[in-house]
Amino acid sequence: MDRNAPTSIAAAIVVNIVGVFALMTMPMIIGSYSETLQFTQQQGTDIMIAEVAGGALASVLAMFWINKINWRLAIVFALSCVVIGNIITTMLTDPNMITALRFCVGF
């Protein structure tokens, strides 16, 4: 497939937006954890740090598999994990469980 095709460019934009969404909404998410689940500011911050750390680790490890796996399959799998992880996060109330799950979602 042509990398300059409109569908390829649109896919790259969507993946980029999903990838930085947590960073853009981090202050609101931390505040929401504090107000809704009565987490401390530190617990909310730890959850966001775990998500960013998961993404950073995934980026580093991607250099070993990026040319070996179909990128469309990888994107579908990654986006599915994000959606499922976000749904599961809404059902949890333990900060440690949420931190571990957000690390996985970030990864």
Side-chain angles (χ1 to χ4, degrees):
M1 176 174 218
D2 180 19
R3 292 181 183 178
N4 294 321
T7 54
S8 296
I9 293 170
I13 290 170
V14 168
V15 170
N16 187 33
I17 289 170
V18 169
V20 299
F21 185 74
L23 293 174
M24 295 184 299
T25 60
M26 197 175 291
M28 292 181 292
I29 294 170
I30 293 172
S32 177
Y33 284 139
S34 296
E35 291 176 17
T36 306
L37 298 174
Q38 306 303 315
F39 290 178
T40 65
Q41 190 77 15
Q42 186 61 49
Q43 288 170 322
T45 302
D46 290 345
I47 292 168
M48 290 295 101
I49 289 171
E51 187 162 351
V52 172
L57 181 60
S59 296
V60 170
L61 295 177
M63 69 181 154
F64 298 110
W65 61 263
I66 198 76
N67 292 324
K68 299 174 181 153
I69 295 176
N70 180 322
W71 67 270
R72 289 183 196 106
L73 180 64
I75 288 173
V76 168
F77 177 75
L79 290 177
S80 297
C81 289
V82 168
V83 170
I84 292 167
N86 287 340
I87 291 169
I88 294 171
T89 298
T90 65
M91 299 176 207
L92 299 176
T93 58
D94 178 53
N96 295 324
M97 292 293 294
I98 293 175
T99 301
L101 180 61
R102 297 316 301 171
F103 177 82
C104 295
V105 168
F107 188 79

